[in-house]
């Protein structure tokens, strides 16, 4: 028993699972303060394992993927030293997460045997699907019974239920929408392996939840994922790109029809599901309240505040944030200002509300966040890594036969696209960041019948 426990403690994969579990439990802001000590415990555990792993397996960082991530960590370490006079302790703390994510979790599947890799990836996906499913069900129950409200934390007012005609559930709808996409991709992967009905239910629930969050970045990522799934999995590469004008046009027509059906389903779902909370409201209102029913009934049209000729407002303030980010980057173009200095440096260029959005979600573009935080040095290494990964995955989509791996590659592309409007896949301690790098590592290092060449 003790030896088995020691085996779990020494295994980086279980440190990753513990980190993810703590992140999920602390996802609702009202629970986050109670999980702080567990987050630190998970981080210390992962840092110790990283030190041991690095000393014993330093040759694993000689391949082009891990080597570039090692250079990125070195570059960002220099950034922190250059900016030592500003928020040094906060930057070092986030740097520890940065290191374990890129140097440990990314390499979890390197040199694993096939059986262990399949076992671990199945456990990893099931944890994420189950946790996300629980949050989605809670959010939909809150929606159906019109459970709404807010509370105050150290970071400001937190809303739950339906707010500004978007389904928050227990946390930010942009995070919820992206989690739903990840759960859909993982459910498809797991369903192709064992055909359990639960994964079909999960896909339906997560799709409804995704629509109700009305997250633009999540919906954009979802449709990018669906297009890749249809072309390379559902229809199949050989059949989709079949020689001959008529078969090719027929496949294009099928692709357009499926995407069109999904697009049409978005307003249909919103108009149908809204009947449930509105019926509940009507049944529980008194006669005097029913006279004001129009004012209290649930709507699912995003509240926008923009003029047609104002591109910044149309982007929900993102363009203004990006412009401010470029101004800050110019003050330290080589090594950047460090992640925890971004808010302080950028808020002078923004109004109070937009600055708060930066504080809560960084620059709302992972590539600009990387540029401002780590400068040209860090951004260049990061982009080179992504270009190599994208090229390797594209080649596999056209030549590989493992459809499950193609599903995960579609997810990686979707997350990269979605982070043009968010900032989650790097410089983050969210579950999305851990998932992105773990899945990248799995796709690169898993040596089944076929694997992406290192």
């Amino acid at each position: 028993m003790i030896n088995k426990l020691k085996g779990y403690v020494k295994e980086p994969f279980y440190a990753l699972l513990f980190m993810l579990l703590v992140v999920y439990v602390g996802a609702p802001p009202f629970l986050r303060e109670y999980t702080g000590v567990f987050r630190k415990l998970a981080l210390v555990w992962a840092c110790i394992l990283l030190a041991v792993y690095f000393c014993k397996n330093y040759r694993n960082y000689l391949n082009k993927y891990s080597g570039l991530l090692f250079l990125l960590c070195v570059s960002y370490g220099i950034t922190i030293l250059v900016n030592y006079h500003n928020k040094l302790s906060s930057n070092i703390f986030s740097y520890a997460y940065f290191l374990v994510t890129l140097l440990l979790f990314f390499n979890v599947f390197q040199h694993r045997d096939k059986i262990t890799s399949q076992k671990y990836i199945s456990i990893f996906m099931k944890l994420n699907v189950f946790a996300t499913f629980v949050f989605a069900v809670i959010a939909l129950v809150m929606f159906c019974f019109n459970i709404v409200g807010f509370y105050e934390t150290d970071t400001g007012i937190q809303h739950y239920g339906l707010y500004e005609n978007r389904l928050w559930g227990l946390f930010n709808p942009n995070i919820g929408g992206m989690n739903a996409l990840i759960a859909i991709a993982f459910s498809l992967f797991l369903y192709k392996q064992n055909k359990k009905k639960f994964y079909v239910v999960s896909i339906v629930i997560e799709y409804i939840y995704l629509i109700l969050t009305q997250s633009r970045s999540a919906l954009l990522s979802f449709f990018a994922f669906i297009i890749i799934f249809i072309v390379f999995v559902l229809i199949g590469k050989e059949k989709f790109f079949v020689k001959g004008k008529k078969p090719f046009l027929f496949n294009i027509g099928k692709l357009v029809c499926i995407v069109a059906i999904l697009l049409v389903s978005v307003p249909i779902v919103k108009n149908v599901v809204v009947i449930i909370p509105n019926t509940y409201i009507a049944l529980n209102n008194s006669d005097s309240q029913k006279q004001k029913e129009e004012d209290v009934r649930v709507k699912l049209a995003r509240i926008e505040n923009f003029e047609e000729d104002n591109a910044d407002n149309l982007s929900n303030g993102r363009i203004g944030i990006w412009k401010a980010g470029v101004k800050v980057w110019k003050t330290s173009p080589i090594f950047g200002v460090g992640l925890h200095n971004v808010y302080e440096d950028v808020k002078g260029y923004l109004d109070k509300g937009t600055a708060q959005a930066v504080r809560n979600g960084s620059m709302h573009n992972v590539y600009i966040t990387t540029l401002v935080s780590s400068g040209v040095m860090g951004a260049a290494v990061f982009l080179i890594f992504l270009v190599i990964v994208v090229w390797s995955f594209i080649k596999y989509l056209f030549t590989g036969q493992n459809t499950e791996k193609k599903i995960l590659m579609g997810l990686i592309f979707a997350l990269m696209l979605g982070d043009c409007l968010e900032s989650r896949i790097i410089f983050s301690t969210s579950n999305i960041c851990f998932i992105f790098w773990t899945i990248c590592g799995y796709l690169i290092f898993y040596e089944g019948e076929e694997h992406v060449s290192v």
Side-chain angles (χ1 to χ4, degrees):
M1 180 64 182
I2 294 177
N3 289 334
K4 192 173 183 180
L5 183 61
K6 286 181 179 179
Y8 287 134
V9 172
K10 292 179 181 179
E11 174 53 64
F13 176 73
Y14 291 107
L16 167 62
L17 289 187
F18 182 65
M19 182 82 79
L20 272 172
L21 186 61
V22 172
V23 170
Y24 277 122
V25 173
F30 66 89
L31 290 176
R32 198 165 297 158
E33 60 178 296
Y34 301 106
T35 60
V37 63
F38 297 103
R39 270 181 171 264
K40 292 174 183 176
L41 176 61
L43 181 59
V44 171
W45 181 9
C47 285
I48 293 173
L49 291 181
L50 173 60
V52 174
Y53 180 87
F54 186 83
C55 292
K56 290 184 176 181
N57 305 285
Y58 62 89
R59 289 186 179 87
N60 288 353
Y61 296 96
L62 299 179
N63 65 76
K64 59 186 175 184
Y65 298 100
S66 299
L68 282 169
L69 294 182
F70 179 78
L71 288 177
L72 180 57
C73 290
V74 170
S75 174
Y76 189 57
I78 295 173
T79 294
I80 293 175
L81 292 176
V82 169
N83 295 279
Y84 71 92
H85 51 284
N86 288 326
K87 296 186 179 294
L88 179 62
S89 59
S90 297
N91 280 317
I92 290 177
F93 187 71
S94 65
Y95 186 55
Y97 279 104
F98 192 80
L99 290 174
V100 299
T101 303
L102 301 189
L103 301 184
L104 185 66
F105 297 159
F106 175 78
N107 290 285
V108 159
F109 291 96
Q110 190 171 178
H111 300 310
R112 297 281 191 186
D113 62 86
K114 180 180 177 181
I115 295 175
T116 302
S117 294
Q118 290 178 331
K119 173 187 173 183
Y120 281 177
I121 198 64
S122 179
I123 295 172
F124 178 80
M125 290 185 181
K126 287 176 182 177
L127 170 63
N128 286 287
V129 169
F130 178 76
T132 307
F133 182 80
V134 170
F135 283 127
V137 169
I138 292 173
L140 291 175
V141 169
M142 297 173 79
F143 173 78
C144 291
F145 292 97
N146 196 35
I147 301 172
V148 297
F150 65 91
Y151 55 92
E152 191 168 359
T153 66
D154 294 338
T155 57
I157 300 295
Q158 304 292 336
H159 297 270
Y160 61 85
L162 198 71
Y163 176 65
E164 291 187 338
N165 296 347
R166 302 176 66 190
L167 183 55
W168 287 56
L170 294 176
F171 43 71
N172 184 287
N174 292 326
I175 298 175
M178 202 62 75
N179 281 339
L181 167 62
I182 292 170
I184 289 171
F186 285 175
S187 295
L188 285 169
F189 183 100
L190 294 168
Y191 181 76
K192 286 186 71 67
Q193 291 189 333
N194 53 35
K195 308 296 181 183
K196 287 187 177 180
K197 293 180 181 179
F198 169 76
Y199 299 121
V200 177
V201 175
S202 171
I203 291 169
V204 173
I205 294 294
E206 298 293 356
Y207 181 58
I208 294 172
Y209 176 48
L210 170 59
I211 290 173
L212 299 186
T213 63
Q214 300 196 77
S215 169
R216 294 189 182 98
S217 57
L219 280 171
L220 175 67
S221 299
F222 172 77
F223 280 104
F225 169 76
I226 285 298
I227 290 172
I228 294 173
F229 177 76
I230 294 170
V231 173
F232 294 100
V233 178
L234 194 61
I235 297 177
K237 180 264 300 183
E238 295 85 358
K239 293 181 180 179
F240 190 90
F241 296 102
V242 67
K243 292 181 180 180
K245 186 176 180 180
K246 287 185 178 180
F248 179 72
L249 291 176
F250 179 70
N251 288 329
I252 289 290
K254 285 198 291 187
L255 172 62
V256 171
C257 287
I258 294 173
V259 172
I261 290 170
L262 288 172
L263 284 170
V264 171
S265 72
V266 173
I268 291 175
V269 168
K270 288 196 293 185
N271 289 326
V272 170
V273 298
V274 79
I275 296 172
I276 301 173
N278 285 332
T279 301
Y280 176 80
I281 292 170
L283 292 175
N284 286 273
N285 280 347
S286 64
D287 292 337
S288 59
Q289 289 174 318
K290 287 181 180 179
Q291 295 177 359
K292 299 180 180 179
E293 190 174 316
E294 182 65 26
D295 297 328
V296 299
R297 72 183 181 90
V298 171
K299 304 178 184 67
L300 285 174
R302 280 193 63 162
I303 296 176
E304 307 285 7
N305 182 24
F306 60 83
E307 299 172 5
E308 291 185 1
D309 60 345
N310 192 326
D312 188 24
N313 286 333
L314 184 61
S315 68
N316 205 20
R318 285 182 172 87
I319 292 177
I321 291 173
W322 301 338
K323 289 179 179 178
V326 172
K327 292 177 182 177
V328 171
W329 165 70
K330 289 180 179 179
T331 64
S332 183
I334 305 300
F335 291 107
V337 300
L339 179 64
H340 286 278
N341 300 325
V342 170
Y343 167 69
E344 293 296 333
D345 290 357
V346 82
K347 67 179 183 180
Y349 299 101
L350 303 169
D351 61 76
K352 187 177 180 180
T354 308
Q356 185 62 34
V358 173
R359 185 177 185 181
N360 294 336
S362 197
M363 301 300 298
H364 289 277
N365 181 300
V366 75
Y367 310 103
I368 294 179
T369 296
T370 304
L371 180 65
V372 177
S373 299
S374 62
V376 170
M377 294 296 292
V381 176
F382 180 53
L383 289 177
I384 290 171
F385 173 85
L386 291 183
V387 168
I388 293 175
V389 167
V390 167
W391 179 242
S392 299
F393 288 2
I394 288 176
K395 287 194 295 183
Y396 188 89
L397 287 173
F398 280 92
T399 60
Q401 300 299 319
N402 189 316
T403 55
E404 286 89 350
K405 290 183 71 173
K406 291 181 179 182
I407 290 172
L408 298 184
M409 288 178 183
L411 175 63
I412 293 298
F413 287 141
L415 292 177
M416 290 170 58
L417 178 62
D419 258 23
C420 290
L421 299 176
E422 298 294 338
S423 187
R424 311 256 184 230
I425 64 174
I426 196 171
F427 291 107
S428 171
T429 59
S430 71
N431 63 303
I432 296 170
C433 180
F434 300 139
I435 289 169
F436 178 86
W437 292 103
T438 302
I439 294 300
C440 264
Y442 170 77
L443 291 170
I444 290 167
F445 297 122
Y446 170 63
E447 297 186 4
E449 290 81 0
E450 304 174 77
H451 62 280
V452 179
S453 175
V454 175

